[in-house]
């Protein structure tokens, strides 16, 4: 199955997909309510946040592909508004519900979400910068300064990577 066929299947069955994604945070809350526990809750909340992050990554991948193929005008004409808004709702509802159940620092998937957000932010800045760098740019800024700023951005991205793998010293198991 290719990504194109996956997104086509998603468009064909969008009502089911929207209903499932709208219900998942509340199903997770129900599971945590019925089976409370210090070991079980972080796992259930982590799986839910992991699915929310995965849906957000699919959303970003779809938008990147669609804008690359036809631009924003085509996305506005062809995309289903509910399918575009559901992953954002899912992440926000899952974060809110998880924060009500326990501190977010105790949920391993939240650390991954933070790290991915930092890496994605740095990637967006670097990609924006790469589209804006012209020869004229270097007449205003020395090349060594540009490299220094690029090194700072990559350092911030590495901190996001360390946050994902848990080497920042603040993870629960350390």
């Amino acid at each position: 199955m290719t990504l194109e066929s996956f997104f086509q299947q998603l468009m064909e069955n969008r009502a089911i997909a929207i209903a499932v994604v709208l219900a998942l945070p509340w199903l997770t809350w129900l599971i945590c309510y019925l089976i409370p526990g210090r070991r079980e809750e972080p796992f259930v909340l982590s799986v839910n946040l992991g699915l929310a992050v995965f849906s957000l990554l699919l959303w970003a991948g779809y938008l990147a592909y669609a804008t690359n193929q036809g631009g924003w005008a085509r996305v506005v004409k062809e995309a289903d508004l509910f399918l575009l808004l559901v992953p954002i709702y899912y992440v926000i509802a899952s974060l809110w519900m998880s924060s009500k159940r326990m501190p977010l620092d105790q949920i391993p998937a939240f650390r991954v979400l933070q790290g991915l957000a930092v890496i994605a932010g740095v990637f967006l800045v670097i990609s924006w910068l790469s589209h804006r760098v012209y020869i004229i740019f270097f007449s205003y800024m020395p090349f060594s300064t540009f490299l220094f700023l690029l090194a700072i951005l990559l350092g911030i991205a590495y901190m996001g990577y360390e946050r994902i793998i848990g080497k920042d010293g603040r993870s629960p198991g350390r």
Side-chain angles (χ1 to χ4, degrees):
M1 174 182 267
T2 64
L3 282 176
E4 183 180 4
S5 63
F6 172 74
F7 284 121
Q8 285 176 348
Q9 290 271 340
L10 190 62
M11 283 299 289
E12 291 171 6
N13 302 314
R14 67 178 149 242
I16 296 170
I18 289 172
V20 167
V21 173
L22 288 176
L24 278 174
W26 308 110
L27 178 65
T28 303
W29 179 83
L30 181 65
I31 291 170
C32 288
Y33 181 76
L34 294 175
I35 311 170
R38 281 308 206 194
R39 269 190 15 210
E40 295 85 9
E41 270 191 66
F43 175 73
V44 171
L45 294 173
S46 197
V47 167
N48 183 47
L49 278 177
L51 289 173
V53 168
F54 181 69
S55 74
L56 200 60
L57 289 175
L58 285 175
W59 173 79
Y62 167 73
L63 284 179
Y65 175 76
T67 56
N68 189 27
Q69 296 295 21
W72 282 105
R74 185 173 177 191
V75 172
V76 169
K77 286 181 189 174
E78 296 178 4
D80 186 356
L81 180 65
F82 289 119
L83 278 177
L84 289 177
L85 294 178
V86 165
I88 297 168
Y89 158 80
Y90 186 22
V91 169
I92 291 171
S94 295
L95 283 172
W96 177 78
M97 189 265 312
S98 297
S99 69
K100 295 296 179 192
R101 294 298 302 171
M102 65 179 15
L104 291 175
D105 287 340
Q106 295 178 359
I107 303 170
F110 182 70
R111 187 176 66 240
V112 172
L113 179 64
Q114 286 178 322
L116 284 175
V118 169
I119 290 172
V122 169
F123 173 75
L124 288 175
V125 170
I126 289 175
S127 64
W128 173 81
L129 195 60
S130 71
H131 288 302
R132 302 289 183 251
V133 173
Y134 302 107
I135 301 299
I136 300 167
F137 178 77
F138 292 114
S139 65
Y140 296 113
M141 177 186 288
F143 187 66
S144 60
T145 305
F146 172 73
L147 288 178
F148 181 69
L149 290 175
L150 193 60
I152 288 173
L153 285 172
L154 291 175
I156 293 171
Y158 183 71
M159 287 177 10
Y161 168 74
E162 282 189 339
R163 182 79 178 144
I164 289 174
I165 61 172
K167 287 188 176 180
D168 61 348
R170 294 182 291 174
S171 60
R174 294 183 59 122

